[in-house]
């Protein structure tokens, strides 16, 4: 294998989980070690980030108090730190208007109730469509991030060869959302299906974008169930080869501006539980390397400038452009060499987290230098 070296502007992770408590600084430090210039840190914390300003309380963090905690834990090293508001029964129009005006509120997050980790406070989409809260987001220019899965489905409807919770949501709800709120700007998060890719590609590029994780570009549900490799268990679950192919085609399309990095890196110190499995893959310490591998698997020649431009757009340019901030002026280098990279577990006070490549026995062929 010949050595390839690429220089890119530092990248942005526009969907990640830093949590709360004593492990936060280890997670932030992992991200910084990958030359990550900024992050959008998810609000499904305990308790949720369900208000905009003021001190943290027993039932909720505010964006202001959660950001302060992250900054104290090392996030001051980032150029950008966005925390979306967890949309819940607590959300008010006044909070959105004041938050947008103050600059604290830049994004809000839709969770399907009970659809994923700490999503119990979510309110169903049917209650948001046409609501004053969504109108306030629309009028204030606050981006709506969506975990796009239909909630409350029984097993056979949740995951079936003809439809899944995600494909149903993108066919039944997303067109209605796009039509009911024509000025609302959307980020379809961690998309996994060809139906979601189609929805994004047929929507205007200045209004609809999507994040894609490394695991959904690299793997299919076959990889998960062959040996029940639960480190790959995340939500939305990895899908079929045709879906992975649609994701790959979308990210490597010449000049594409709608798809960008959002790892959904989700640390769980205990993955296998007594009768189930916590959802989330940890890629905080190695995401750019995994994306480089995925781009190669998608047929991109990273030794050529045209191939590097595709990875640059996805990692470093499209996300900032969509969220309205500048790409980083700082650079980092990725190298492919014959010796596989050393990926370590993340050891932190509240427990150890196993990164996805260790859980999958994956040799990582790219490193950061
Ligand atoms: O796999 C996931 N893990 N999906 C989510 O939506 C949440 C995340 C987490 O917080 O662990
Ligand atoms: Zn997530």
């Amino acid at each position: 294998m010949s050595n390839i070296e690429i220089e890119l502007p530092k990248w942005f992770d526009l969907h990640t989980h830093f949590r709360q408590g004593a492990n936060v600084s280890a997670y932030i430090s992992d991200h910084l070690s990958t030359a990550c210039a900024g992050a959008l840190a998810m609000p499904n914390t305990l308790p949720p980030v369900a208000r905009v300003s003021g001190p943290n309380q027993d039932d909720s963090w505010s964006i202001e108090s959660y950001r302060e905690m992250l900054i104290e834990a090392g996030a001051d090293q980032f150029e950008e730190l966005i925390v979306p508001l967890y949309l819940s029964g607590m959300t008010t129009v006044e909070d959105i208007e004041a938050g947008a005006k103050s600059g604290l509120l830049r994004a809000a997050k839709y969770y399907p109730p009970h659809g994923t980790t700490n999503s119990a406070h979510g309110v169903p989409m049917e209650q948001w469509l046409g609501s004053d809260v969504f109108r306030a987001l629309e009028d204030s220019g606050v981006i709506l991030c969506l975990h796009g899965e239909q909630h409350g489905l029984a097993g056979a409807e949740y995951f079936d060869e003809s439809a899944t919770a995600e494909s149903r949501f993108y066919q039944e709800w997303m067109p209605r959302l796009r039509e009911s709120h024509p000025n609302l700007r959307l980020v379809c998060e961690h998309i996994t299906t060809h139906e979601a890719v189609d929805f994004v590609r047929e929507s205007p590029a200045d209004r609809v974008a999507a994040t894609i994780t490394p695991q959904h570009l690299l793997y299919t549900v076959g990889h998960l169930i062959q040996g029940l490799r639960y480190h790959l268990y995340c939500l939305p679950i990895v899908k079929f080869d045709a879906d992975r192919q649609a994701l790959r085609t979308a990210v490597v399309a010449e000049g594409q501006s709608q798809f960008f990095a959002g790892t959904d890196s989700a640390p769980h110190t205990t993955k296998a539980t007594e009768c189930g499995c916590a959802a989330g893959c940890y890629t905080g310490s190695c995401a750019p390397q995994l994306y480089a591998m995925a781009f190669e698997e998608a047929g991109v020649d990273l030794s050529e400038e045209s191939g590097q431009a595709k990875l640059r757009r996805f990692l470093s340019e499209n996300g900032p452009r969509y969220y309205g901030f500048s790409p980083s002026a700082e650079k980092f280098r990725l190298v492919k060499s014959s010796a596989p990279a050393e990926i370590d577990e993340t050891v932190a006070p509240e427990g150890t987290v196993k990164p996805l490549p260790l859980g999958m026995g994956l040799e990582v062929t790219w490193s950061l230098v």
Side-chain angles (χ1 to χ4, degrees):
M1 192 195 305
S2 59
N3 275 31
I4 307 175
E5 188 162 326
I6 309 179
E7 191 176 73
L8 300 172
K10 281 189 168 183
W11 71 291
F12 289 89
D13 187 350
L14 289 157
H15 179 137
T16 193
H17 296 265
F18 290 141
R19 313 290 193 207
Q20 67 287 310
N23 279 14
V24 170
S25 57
Y27 303 147
I28 291 174
S29 157
D30 272 354
H31 257 76
L32 290 166
S33 76
T34 68
C36 181
L40 185 139
M42 280 293 135
N44 64 333
T45 44
L46 291 171
V49 184
R51 288 173 299 111
V52 174
S53 54
N56 60 328
Q57 296 170 4
D58 288 347
D59 65 350
S60 55
W61 295 85
S62 66
I63 293 175
E64 186 182 20
S65 58
Y66 186 61
R67 280 185 96 258
E68 272 166 19
M69 183 277 287
L70 294 178
I71 283 167
E72 268 171 40
D76 57 316
Q77 305 285 312
F78 289 129
E79 296 170 23
E80 283 287 341
L81 177 64
I82 300 175
V83 175
L85 177 70
Y86 190 133
L87 293 172
S88 72
M90 256 186 253
T91 312
T92 65
V93 167
E94 294 70 39
D95 224 13
I96 290 168
E97 287 171 352
K101 207 173 269 176
S102 74
L104 270 173
L105 180 64
R106 297 161 72 180
K109 172 77 185 242
Y110 168 78
Y111 278 108
H114 304 283
T116 187
T117 311
N118 302 339
S119 63
H121 305 278
V123 173
M125 184 53 78
E126 63 229 62
Q127 292 181 38
W128 291 124
L129 280 187
S131 67
D132 291 345
V133 163
F134 270 25
R135 284 211 194 86
L137 295 176
E138 197 173 6
D139 294 345
S140 317
V142 175
I143 289 177
L144 177 62
C145 304
L146 297 120
H147 182 123
E149 287 193 287
Q150 181 62 41
H151 67 280
L153 296 173
E157 289 80 42
Y158 179 71
F159 194 86
D160 175 83
E161 59 190 330
S162 61
T164 62
E166 180 177 294
S167 68
R168 285 167 190 271
F169 193 82
Y170 276 86
Q171 289 175 323
E172 288 167 29
W173 291 103
M174 291 302 282
R176 289 175 63 185
L177 172 62
R178 187 179 53 196
E179 269 115 60
S180 309
H181 296 277
N183 295 315
L184 189 54
R185 297 183 67 229
L186 311 177
V187 176
C188 305
E189 303 206 293
H190 44 53
I191 59 169
T192 68
T193 57
H194 66 89
E195 289 88 351
V197 170
D198 289 346
F199 173 82
V200 176
R201 292 183 88 167
E202 72 192 26
S203 300
D206 58 344
R207 270 204 62 205
V208 179
T211 58
I212 303 185
T213 77
Q215 63 267 24
H216 292 105
L217 290 170
L218 286 168
Y219 295 114
T220 67
V221 67
H223 294 95
L224 171 67
I225 60 178
Q226 195 172 40
L228 208 56
R229 283 183 285 182
Y230 60 79
H231 284 281
L232 183 55
Y233 180 66
C234 65
L235 292 173
I237 199 165
V238 277
K239 300 294 190 308
F240 298 101
D241 197 29
D243 297 299
R244 179 176 65 168
Q245 194 49 50
L247 297 172
R248 288 179 172 181
T249 304
V251 297
V252 307
E254 201 65 55
Q256 69 84 9
S257 64
Q258 286 175 289
F259 300 92
F260 47 84
T263 61
D264 202 11
S265 176
H268 288 275
T269 50
T270 307
K271 271 293 277 182
T273 57
E274 206 177 333
C275 51
C277 183
C281 302
Y282 189 63
T283 54
S285 54
C286 54
Q289 298 92 308
L290 298 183
Y291 279 128
M293 289 178 74
F295 269 60
E296 285 189 312
E297 284 196 23
V300 173
D301 183 349
L302 290 176
S303 69
E304 299 211 335
E305 166 48 34
S306 59
Q308 294 171 16
K310 292 179 176 183
L311 187 60
R312 182 162 61 237
R313 232 174 258 124
F314 180 79
L315 284 178
S316 316
E317 293 174 354
N318 288 351
R321 193 163 300 136
Y322 194 79
Y323 273 95
F325 58 87
S326 301
S328 180
E330 290 189 36
K331 306 265 195 246
F332 76 108
R333 277 184 295 159
L334 275 168
V335 175
K336 182 181 188 180
S337 62
S338 44
E342 243 186 65
I343 308 284
D344 297 319
E345 290 186 335
T346 296
V347 180
E350 289 180 352
T352 297
V353 179
K354 200 187 275 282
L356 185 67
L358 293 184
M360 294 300 288
L362 173 72
E363 270 201 359
V364 178
T365 49
W366 288 82
S367 321
L368 256 72
V369 283

